[in-house]
Amino acid sequence: MRHLLQSDDFTAAELDRLMDLADDIIARPEHYKNACEGKKLATLFFEPSTRTRLSFEAAMYELGGHVLSVSSMASSSAAKGESVQDTVRVAGCYADIIAMRHPQEGAPYAARRVTTVPLINAGDGAHHHPTQTLADILTIRREKGRLDHLTVGLCGDLKYGRTVHSLVECLSERAGVRFVFISPSQLAMPEQMLHTMLEEKNVPYTQTDSLEKALPELDVLYMTRVQRERFDDLSQYEALKDSYVLDLAKMKLAKHDCIVLHPLPRVNEIDPQVDADPRACYFKEVYNGKIMRMALILTLLGLAGGAGFAKSERAAAQGKLPEGCVEAQCSNAHCISQTEQGLPHLAAPVPGRPGVYRCVWCDHLI
């Protein structure tokens, strides 16, 4: 049984097959309209969502399946104190596959310990958002014709931006990809992620606080909003929220074929006038997200025919704790280990950094 909790749960070859399936769904939608007949998807969204939740539900309906959900987790037993693991156990009794979003980092990893059906991470705090990455990479491949040998700029909230973290992890597997991180110092990419996702793989990257200086060299610009909900200190949010605004004047600095992506929702970071520019691809990204979630559901349920995933070392490693784990309390206030009953407090050694450990649930350094 396979799950998708973070981008590198699938190999590059598996992601290519998933995108090939998505292309076929776009070309032959009638062929898939009853593919999930009799199957049920449970959407467990402990945190607000528009695109991700609706796209999962639309994906399952367009495949001929059914969706089980609640209007708000505030009206579920989670409001009574039920653990994430118990909620997932219950949902697995009713559904064939689960998509879960949770504000605490590592929640899907706790859920994976007990789930009896395939589990999809639809976003966990500021940690990962792998299905948004599926939308991103399909959009890049369809617009640019490739995923390799690209200069990719990521702008805005790189510290808390789970979509950024997942996309960097995914594209770091592709040959010739170079990253440019554009942010104020307070919202820079986490040091641990730079180390494990890029430095250990010798993937080149640069960091800057200037969007104008970075734009001329980019093949892909990934804009993000500064996320109010991730800040404990709202005064810091107010000071940083309008750090970058992409407008028509800045678009003149970009290559004629540089595409602009955004996971949405946007606030002020992209001027609506940019929407008419043919390089603006963020609404195409929304549509592609639905298609990739259709392909993912089919694949995890074993209904994709020849596009299914064979067993691999990466698949065998899913759910296994890293070697050398020790008992240690995570200090991240947003980690699932802070609230989930029965979850062991464990840390794993960070390769290449003697004496440095990370929480096995949220990756926070200990």
Side-chain angles (χ1 to χ4, degrees):
M1 182 171 60
R2 296 290 296 271
H3 311 287
L4 179 60
L5 302 192
Q6 63 187 65
S7 294
D8 73 349
D9 281 343
F10 294 165
T11 64
E14 288 173 335
L15 289 172
D16 286 341
R17 291 201 294 276
L18 202 65
M19 287 185 283
D20 291 342
L21 177 58
D23 285 337
D24 194 55
I25 293 171
I26 292 171
R28 302 188 302 151
E30 71 285 348
H31 182 74
Y32 297 92
K33 64 181 181 180
N34 295 313
C36 283
E37 186 174 3
K39 299 295 184 180
K40 296 182 288 293
L41 165 73
T43 53
L44 303 180
F45 277 63
F46 296 75
E47 190 178 49
S49 170
T50 301
R51 276 150 300 280
T52 304
R53 181 171 179 168
L54 289 181
S55 67
F56 267 114
E57 295 182 356
M60 195 58 167
Y61 285 132
E62 291 189 27
L63 292 169
H66 302 279
V67 177
L68 307 176
S69 64
V70 290
S71 59
S72 166
M73 293 311 291
S75 61
S76 76
S77 290
K80 303 175 185 177
E82 183 174 55
S83 69
V84 169
Q85 293 172 98
D86 281 1
T87 299
V88 167
R89 282 190 181 101
V90 170
C93 295
Y94 306 140
D96 301 286
I97 188 169
I98 296 171
M100 185 179 86
R101 169 170 288 187
H102 201 282
Q104 287 179 284
E105 294 155 27
Y109 302 84
R112 180 175 56 190
R113 302 174 74 229
V114 299
T115 185
T116 56
V117 299
L119 179 69
I120 301 169
N121 179 8
D124 63 317
H127 198 208
H128 290 291
H129 194 349
T131 65
Q132 176 61 46
T133 295
L134 298 184
D136 301 337
I137 62 173
L138 182 64
T139 306
I140 295 171
R141 193 173 84 159
R142 289 181 69 85
E143 297 298 318
K144 301 293 293 182
R146 67 190 192 278
L147 290 175
D148 56 4
H149 298 93
L150 294 168
T151 298
V152 181
L154 301 106
C155 179
D157 182 358
L158 311 186
K159 178 179 181 180
Y160 300 113
R162 59 192 175 195
T163 62
V164 169
H165 304 160
S166 289
L167 182 58
V168 170
E169 183 174 53
C170 179
L171 290 181
S172 68
E173 300 286 334
R174 304 287 171 162
V177 170
R178 173 176 170 266
F179 294 99
V180 180
F181 298 115
I182 308 156
S183 72
S185 59
Q186 301 94 322
L187 297 176
M189 276 286 287
E191 178 186 346
Q192 169 61 15
M193 290 186 174
L194 290 175
H195 180 74
T196 58
M197 293 180 184
L198 303 179
E199 292 168 3
E200 286 186 353
K201 303 173 186 176
N202 295 315
V203 177
Y205 71 88
T206 58
Q207 295 176 292
T208 179
D209 60 3
S210 173
L211 176 58
E212 290 86 346
K213 289 181 180 178
L215 262 172
E217 63 179 313
L218 303 181
D219 299 304
V220 178
L221 172 61
Y222 196 82
M223 294 293 296
T224 67
R225 70 184 172 95
V226 177
Q227 303 171 88
R228 184 180 188 277
E229 64 271 25
R230 305 293 175 215
F231 283 80
D232 295 322
D233 182 354
L234 291 184
S235 65
Q236 188 180 38
Y237 164 76
E238 291 294 332
L240 296 171
K241 66 178 182 179
D242 294 326
S243 297
Y244 301 99
V245 177
L246 182 66
D247 55 23
L248 293 178
K250 292 187 181 71
M251 286 297 293
K252 291 179 180 179
L253 302 173
K255 293 180 180 179
H256 70 91
D257 61 348
C258 172
I259 63 170
V260 179
L261 304 181
H262 192 303
L264 301 179
R266 66 174 163 185
V267 184
N268 300 317
E269 63 277 1
I270 298 181
D271 188 312
Q273 289 185 312
V274 174
D275 297 355
D277 191 305
R279 294 170 292 181
C281 296
Y282 27 90
F283 291 110
K284 291 181 181 179
E285 211 174 345
V286 173
Y287 171 77
N288 290 335
K290 179 191 71 174
I291 301 299
M292 281 297 271
R293 289 176 178 105
M294 292 172 72
L296 178 64
I297 289 168
L298 287 170
T299 300
L300 293 182
L301 288 176
L303 302 173
F309 294 166
K311 291 184 178 179
S312 66
E313 289 184 10
R314 192 164 298 191
Q318 277 198 344
K320 290 186 178 179
L321 291 172
E323 293 183 4
C325 283
V326 298
E327 290 188 16
Q329 176 67 56
C330 180
S331 61
N332 177 10
H334 303 290
C335 178
I336 189 63
S337 67
Q338 301 285 0
T339 56
E340 186 76 359
Q341 294 183 349
L343 198 65
H345 299 290
L346 296 173
V350 175
R353 303 182 68 181
V356 180
Y357 287 76
R358 64 170 182 84
C359 173
V360 300
W361 311 113
C362 73
D363 291 318
H364 191 74
L365 291 183
I366 297 177

